[in-house]
Amino acid sequence: ALGVRQYFADGWYPSGRPESTNAFPPSAALVKGALLLSTITPRGTYFFASKNIALGATPNAAAGYGAPDLARVLRLAPSSEPSNPPSSSPRPPSPPFALWVKDEGGGRGVESGQVHQYVVDGVFKKVVLGDDLRGAGSLVTIVLVWTDEAAVGGAKRALVNDLDLNVTLVKRNIILRSKGQFRTNDPNGGTHPEPRRDSSNNVEKVTVTAEWAAAQKKLSSEHSLSLQVSAHQVPSAKGQTYALLISGPEGMTVRDLGPSLLESTAHRLACSVARVLCFACVILLLAHS
């Protein structure tokens, strides 16, 4: 956690070099999100009920979200200095990747019923080029984390502010409903026709595996991922801020579209109705004066 905090506080993000102009103090949600974004499935077994049980895909009850491996997310720019010989390297270098984060939106939170939209482009380039992705693991990993309000003592449900992360495949900004939706906190990955809500945790993680992408037919550079962060239930009037983190292949870009078009239209309609009602009240007051 200290390493993650120093990475952002010293300005290593997004260039991979320490730059004071990029430095900012990360929130607790961002630090936690980076740790969860980096996790890998641990190998081996655990002993339970007089049995040795193999550790499966994460998240699971035995290993949680897995073991953190910060080299997978804390991107460092290539060094100009000569590298050490391979024999002296303690581990193979990580493949090139991209990291994008948004830390609590500058204080802008989501309120009940609101939706913030994002589009992730350039993630299926290797699939289009026909690269062999078997055994490549995750292609894109997305983590949503928020620091929840404290629940009252003895509450049966500890989660107060309930946010949702919805991830779908899109082509030319049109959601492909037939492909289903990626489920959050799902160890099996892939898309499903029926979305599943997590109303217990203040963490939602989606992994788009390379195997899933390789199995899809007719994926092209026009395909992207649509992300929606929605507030299912936020009792607080000030809304709920959050940290959103995305890691993916080199060349990945993220578009922050802000509030959804439907939400913006509804807000403008509500404002118009309010103005009409105010105008009507003024007319009635003048009529009775």
Side-chain angles (χ1 to χ4, degrees):
L2 289 175
V4 172
R5 189 186 187 286
Q6 184 175 359
Y7 182 84
F8 293 104
D10 288 352
W12 289 82
Y13 173 81
S15 68
R17 295 183 175 88
E19 299 177 1
S20 58
T21 54
N22 293 329
F24 67 93
S27 68
L30 180 60
V31 172
K32 180 177 180 178
L35 291 172
L36 294 173
L37 189 70
S38 75
T39 55
I40 58 175
T41 300
R43 299 176 181 178
T45 61
Y46 68 98
F47 190 75
F48 179 75
S50 302
K51 295 182 190 176
N52 282 321
I53 303 174
L55 290 169
T58 54
N60 59 51
Y65 284 89
D69 180 5
L70 294 181
R72 291 163 46 88
V73 296
L74 300 187
R75 179 179 173 273
L76 301 178
S79 174
S80 58
E81 300 178 2
S83 59
N84 294 326
S87 59
S88 64
S89 178
R91 56 175 293 163
S94 299
F97 64 92
L99 172 68
W100 181 92
V101 306
K102 180 176 182 179
D103 192 14
E104 300 202 330
R108 183 191 66 165
V110 285
E111 301 175 12
S112 290
Q114 288 187 329
V115 179
H116 291 173
Q117 292 194 118
Y118 306 85
V119 176
V120 186
D121 299 310
V123 295
F124 299 116
K125 183 179 179 180
K126 289 187 176 181
V127 180
V128 175
L129 293 176
D131 290 9
D132 187 0
L133 299 178
R134 288 174 297 181
S138 63
L139 182 66
V140 182
T141 306
I142 306 153
V143 174
L144 170 69
V145 182
W146 64 99
T147 302
D148 195 20
E149 299 284 346
V152 297
K156 292 183 179 179
R157 184 171 177 266
L159 191 68
V160 176
N161 293 334
D162 188 358
L163 305 186
D164 288 326
L165 173 62
N166 302 312
V167 181
T168 52
L169 188 67
V170 297
K171 183 176 182 181
R172 301 195 195 111
N173 296 325
I174 298 176
I175 295 177
L176 303 178
R177 302 288 183 187
S178 61
K179 293 291 186 181
Q181 179 175 308
F182 292 92
R183 286 180 173 176
T184 59
N185 302 330
D186 184 2
N188 298 318
T191 53
H192 303 265
E194 294 294 331
R196 180 181 61 190
R197 292 197 62 257
D198 182 339
S199 58
S200 302
N201 301 292
N202 64 333
V203 173
E204 302 218 353
K205 182 176 182 179
V206 167
T207 300
V208 181
T209 63
E211 287 79 5
W212 175 88
Q216 304 307 303
K217 297 179 179 179
K218 299 182 179 179
L219 272 181
S220 71
S221 57
E222 295 180 329
H223 286 87
S224 305
L225 293 173
S226 170
L227 277 61
Q228 292 185 334
V229 177
S230 59
H232 177 74
Q233 178 178 293
V234 179
S236 173
K238 64 182 180 181
Q240 175 62 59
T241 57
Y242 59 86
L244 182 65
L245 304 91
I246 307 170
S247 66
E250 196 173 29
M252 177 191 78
T253 58
V254 180
R255 289 180 281 152
D256 183 350
L257 304 182
S260 69
L261 178 61
L262 181 62
E263 178 193 327
S264 300
T265 302
H267 180 71
R268 288 196 296 269
L269 180 61
C271 291
S272 299
V273 171
R275 284 194 292 269
V276 170
L277 290 175
C278 289
F279 183 73
C281 289
V282 171
I283 296 298
L284 288 173
L285 289 173
L286 292 175
H288 288 84
S289 60

